[in-house]
Amino acid sequence: MSDEPQTSLPTTKVARAARFAKTGFNVGTNYIKHYAKKAVGSESTTEDLHAANAAELYGTLSEMKGSVLKVAQMLAMEKNMLPTAYAEQFAQAQYSTPPLSGPLVVKAFRDAFGKSPFQLFDEFEPEARQAASIGQVHFARKDGKALAVKVQYPGVADSIKSDIRLVKPIALRVMGLNEAQVRPYLEEVETRLLEETDYKLELRRGQEIAAKCQPLQHLEFPAYYPEFSTARILTMDWLPGQHLKEFLATNPSQEIRNQIGQAMWDFYQFQFNELHQLHADPHPGNFLMRAENGGTLGVLDFGCVKDVPQDVYELFKDLLAPETFADEARLEALLAQAGVLRATDAPAMRALYLRTMQASLELVGCPFRQATFDFGDPAYMAALYALGDDLMADPELRKQREPRGSEHFIYLNRTYVGLFALLTELGASIATGILV
Amino acid sequence: MEKDRIKQAYLDFVLNEGHPPQSVFKLTQQLGVAESEFYQHYPNFEAIDREIWADFGRQARETAAAEPVWDGYGSREKLLAFYYTLLEILKNNRSYALMSLRRSLHRIPALSPRVLDDFRQDFEYFVSDLLRDGRVTGEIANRPLVQDGYPRFFWQQALFVLGYFAKDDTVNFERTDAAVEKAVTLSFDLVGRNTIDSAVDFVRFLVRK
């Protein structure tokens, strides 16, 4: 373990409160800047202020890189992005936790198995190879097999719960929302976050989904080892391959990138359409790519899995179907069903929502309406950016701070935002076909 | 051995009854040995308490040092390993630990509990050794004068850990684990070479002119 001084480890309640207070402080500074600008007569609209506040909150909170953030902005018109940003913030807070010390890892094993990892495995690296969202991954070897052992930070589930209690009022205040409006969304996010801390559940889901995805080509799943796993320790195969960034640095051919992109696309379509259950965390760290067999994709981390209820599935599918896009009355009916449009909305408001939804569905649904789609096409991303900017700039829309739509859409959106971003970065051209 | 029998009988009594026996006579009678036998080993019950705590500490040091990775650890990790092993032992003896701590704790809260006297002595020797090793490897900054106070500083940390463990109400005392991790990291950040050393060095330079 490193002996370097480690910064930012807000685990006690007080330390975390201080961290959030800092966000509050920065938001306060934004107000000061706003009034200062006003005082010197320069144009500083309240929108600027809100944008600055939101930026402060969203700030470094997501692992998403620039391009993804643009897409995220675009989807933010549904305001579902608030809870997702919220989720990302916790993820971020966990990412910045310093690595567990060797002795604590040993202790976690003693608690779980009554043995130290050095007794349990033939070989065990006390230094973590990488950080997982709420733990760290160690390399181990047993009977000649390379294994990845994920060890969870102690007390994570507890700190998630108290973080949520701490940040909720501040987040609501800053975003200008009241609790009743966002409760279903926050509950959805909390459930997912807490599920992620249960490695037993992750093991079961990983095994199930891997078994069901057997027919799919060019995909690879690690085998899990229940005998070396508990609620806090998860042991699986160490899959070969590289993460997206490193993989792209090796200059893979277009064919390989296409095949990997295709495997990823098929994997998600299969889960959504056949399993109604989604690996809802398409984060670059959860995929391993390699050039063997013309491109193979390894899928890790089933901590965040979204079960899609039948009615939500139908709704989502219908929204993306080509017929819907052409038929305004049908779109209106579907959006009302999804809770985006409400009977109490003023006609002008309704038209506004309808217009913006139509515009974004046209673009987002684009890959679904074509037989093949080139995610590497810069024009598509440019169009997404432009739409995102337009929506963010729309003064009418920005006044609508209240989130709308089914809470199930949070993770569906997150999944597709992540998937599109990965495919774009991969620059893959894919046979997308029409959503069945 | 007679001494171990007396210690064990005392421990059983405290665990079952929740308080020490009323007199040495009662305990020795129960054991079927002469009261004078007791005094050959211990002057009073408090001495047994102190020894039990010292045993916890010794056991923790020995078990931790028996790990194959021990030699590869730096001073920080060695102290961590000691704490985690100690907490494991205390977890198995939590009822006794809480009872004996509480009995001597509430009288004068600012002072170290008397039952920990022997434990403390061993702990400070152990920490002094760790610190000396750390200075050799450069993990710990050499600060003449100040560093003589380190063992006492680390003893306060040990008291903090014990106090935290006593009050922890999380499943499997997970928060204590986190508290240990952070407290030890902080303390080693403080005794390691850091801003303070550069500042002192700078001031010394200016003064010497």
Side-chain angles (χ1 to χ4, degrees):
Chain A
M1 292 284 106
S2 90
D3 288 319
E4 296 153 16
Q6 283 153 333
T7 48
S8 79
L9 47 150
T11 295
T12 68
K13 249 187 182 167
V14 177
R16 276 198 307 264
R19 186 196 184 93
F20 292 129
K22 200 176 144 215
T23 309
F25 176 75
N26 287 340
V27 169
T29 323
N30 290 338
Y31 276 98
I32 295 170
K33 279 189 205 148
H34 170 66
Y35 289 116
K37 267 193 191 171
K38 253 194 168 168
V40 297
S42 98
E43 270 203 31
S44 174
T45 57
T46 319
E47 271 76 17
D48 277 347
L49 174 66
H50 284 313
N53 282 350
E56 202 63 63
L57 252 198
Y58 285 70
T60 51
L61 51 78
S62 65
E63 289 270 307
M64 296 178 170
K65 301 287 175 277
S67 64
V68 192
L69 214 63
K70 285 281 187 183
V71 188
Q73 277 177 356
M74 184 204 65
L75 285 161
M77 59 144 300
E78 289 170 76
K79 305 278 172 170
N80 280 347
M81 278 308 289
L82 160 65
T84 315
Y86 195 74
E88 296 287 345
Q89 183 164 28
F90 291 117
Q92 178 70 22
Q94 301 302 340
Y95 278 125
S96 62
T97 315
L100 295 183
S101 69
L104 188 52
V105 172
V106 172
K107 180 178 190 290
F109 272 86
R110 283 204 177 283
D111 278 352
F113 305 104
K115 283 182 188 169
S116 82
F118 307 98
Q119 292 169 299
L120 205 62
F121 301 107
D122 300 338
E123 194 188 319
F124 183 84
E125 274 183 18
E127 301 226 357
R129 285 274 184 104
Q130 47 184 276
S133 48
I134 48 168
Q136 56 190 26
V137 181
H138 289 263
F139 179 85
R141 212 180 277 281
K142 176 91 181 171
D143 302 330
K145 251 192 223 152
L147 301 174
V149 185
K150 203 156 77 156
V151 182
Q152 195 176 107
Y153 300 128
V156 162
D158 270 351
S159 43
I160 287 181
K161 275 183 226 160
S162 71
D163 273 358
I164 288 172
R165 275 198 301 272
L166 266 172
V167 78
K168 200 187 270 178
I170 299 173
L172 292 180
R173 170 69 61 83
V174 175
M175 300 302 235
L177 298 167
N178 75 49
E179 213 219 320
Q181 288 171 327
V182 287
R183 185 176 296 131
Y185 305 99
L186 293 188
E187 272 173 9
E188 167 84 1
V189 172
E190 288 173 21
T191 315
R192 292 284 94 72
L193 283 173
L194 288 178
E195 272 179 11
E196 267 185 76
T197 64
D198 185 357
Y199 283 177
K200 273 190 187 140
L201 184 71
E202 177 173 349
L203 184 143
R204 213 181 59 231
R205 280 171 162 170
Q207 283 179 326
E208 279 171 10
I209 294 181
K212 287 177 192 159
C213 289
Q214 274 312 312
L216 298 178
Q217 279 186 315
H218 310 303
L219 274 183
E220 213 174 23
F221 298 93
Y224 291 86
Y225 299 90
E227 67 272 32
F228 301 129
S229 303
T230 64
R232 274 189 54 192
I233 295 173
L234 186 63
T235 304
M236 65 191 105
D237 284 334
W238 186 277
L239 287 187
Q242 290 165 303
H243 293 308
L244 183 60
K245 280 249 147 50
E246 296 93 70
F247 180 69
L248 287 179
T250 65
N251 278 323
S253 70
Q254 186 63 44
E255 288 70 40
I256 291 174
R257 283 187 284 162
N258 286 352
Q259 183 170 317
I260 290 179
Q262 188 70 53
M264 197 182 287
W265 178 268
D266 291 345
F267 173 55
Y268 275 96
Q269 290 306 92
F270 182 78
Q271 289 180 93
F272 183 62
N273 290 318
E274 309 296 325
L275 308 180
H276 301 317
Q277 199 181 38
L278 281 172
H279 174 281
D281 195 9
H283 178 278
N286 290 338
F287 295 97
L288 288 169
M289 302 168 184
R290 58 201 173 98
E292 274 93 58
N293 304 321
T296 308
L297 179 71
V299 186
L300 308 168
D301 199 339
F302 286 90
C304 185
V305 170
K306 172 71 191 151
D307 289 302
V308 189
Q310 187 62 32
D311 54 329
V312 175
Y313 164 71
E314 299 288 345
L315 197 61
F316 205 78
K317 195 184 71 175
D318 289 347
L319 274 174
L320 287 173
E323 319 70 277
T324 311
F325 161 66
D327 181 351
E328 196 162 311
R330 184 168 156 74
L331 179 63
E332 200 172 338
L334 285 172
L335 288 176
Q337 198 188 333
V340 177
L341 297 178
R342 290 180 190 152
T344 52
D345 288 335
M349 190 50 48
R350 212 176 162 85
L352 173 72
Y353 270 115
L354 200 56
R355 202 179 66 234
T356 50
M357 280 305 290
Q358 198 168 19
S360 61
L361 278 175
E362 176 181 1
L363 261 183
V364 177
C366 207
F368 295 97
R369 290 193 302 271
Q370 301 180 4
T372 58
F373 192 83
D374 183 6
F375 279 95
D377 179 8
Y380 182 61
M381 279 324 276
L384 279 181
Y385 289 0
L387 177 69
D389 288 344
D390 283 355
L391 293 180
M392 289 303 276
D394 189 326
E396 276 304 304
L397 209 57
R398 298 191 55 161
K399 272 190 227 147
Q400 307 305 313
R401 306 193 64 81
E402 166 199 15
R404 293 191 167 211
S406 160
E407 68 268 23
H408 296 287
F409 282 13
I410 299 172
Y411 278 90
L412 283 175
N413 282 349
R414 181 190 184 199
T415 307
Y416 278 93
V417 167
L419 178 63
F420 279 27
L422 283 173
L423 291 173
T424 307
E425 208 159 331
L426 196 58
S429 175
I430 288 166
T432 47
I434 288 176
L435 201 65
V436 203
Chain B
M1 213 176 101
E2 208 61 41
K3 191 175 175 178
D4 288 338
R5 264 188 73 212
I6 294 175
K7 189 155 69 177
Q8 191 58 45
Y10 171 76
L11 186 59
D12 291 343
F13 189 96
V14 174
L15 282 176
N16 284 320
E17 305 292 326
H19 60 83
Q22 267 132 349
S23 67
V24 173
F25 177 77
K26 285 208 167 153
L27 186 76
T28 47
Q29 196 187 37
Q30 222 176 14
L31 269 173
V33 296
E35 189 170 347
S36 61
E37 174 81 29
F38 180 92
Y39 298 114
Q40 286 184 4
H41 305 290
Y42 302 101
N44 50 32
F45 289 139
E46 281 78 22
I48 309 187
D49 281 324
R50 285 202 295 275
E51 192 176 294
I52 292 176
W53 271 95
D55 286 347
F56 289 158
R58 198 186 54 240
Q59 211 187 327
R61 281 190 299 279
E62 284 169 4
T63 316
E67 276 295 329
V69 276
W70 178 261
D71 293 328
Y73 281 160
S75 297
R76 185 177 76 99
E77 276 119 346
K78 281 183 177 161
L79 185 61
L80 280 169
F82 165 75
Y83 277 133
Y84 290 133
T85 320
L86 178 69
L87 288 172
E88 277 313 294
I89 295 168
L90 290 183
K91 219 185 284 175
N92 291 329
N93 298 283
R94 185 167 159 92
S95 303
Y96 171 76
L98 290 187
M99 247 186 277
S100 57
L101 275 183
R102 226 170 266 146
R103 223 177 319 124
S104 62
L105 203 58
H106 59 82
R107 283 178 218 144
I108 314 163
L111 291 178
S112 305
R114 290 296 305 276
V115 288
L116 297 181
D117 281 358
D118 295 359
F119 175 84
R120 172 182 185 166
Q121 206 168 31
D122 294 348
F123 177 82
E124 289 188 358
Y125 285 141
F126 170 66
V127 168
S128 304
D129 287 348
L130 285 188
L131 292 173
R132 200 173 312 118
D133 295 348
R135 273 195 287 276
V136 172
T137 59
E139 192 181 347
I140 290 161
N142 196 14
R143 294 178 196 144
L145 297 179
V146 187
Q147 66 196 17
D148 298 341
Y150 284 175
R152 229 173 303 145
F153 164 69
F154 276 94
W155 171 244
Q156 289 305 318
Q157 180 184 65
L159 276 185
F160 160 77
V161 169
L162 289 176
Y164 203 98
F165 172 71
K167 280 182 227 123
D168 195 352
D169 55 1
T170 48
V171 177
N172 206 17
F173 310 108
E174 279 185 348
R175 285 198 67 83
T176 306
D177 292 352
V180 169
E181 187 94 350
K182 305 207 181 246
V184 172
T185 303
L186 172 66
S187 60
F188 272 79
D189 283 354
L190 288 176
V191 299
R193 197 177 160 76
N194 56 32
T195 328
I196 303 167
D197 297 283
S198 312
V200 168
D201 192 42
F202 181 62
V203 170
R204 274 226 302 267
F205 167 77
L206 290 181
V207 170
R208 231 179 259 153
K209 181 196 71 152

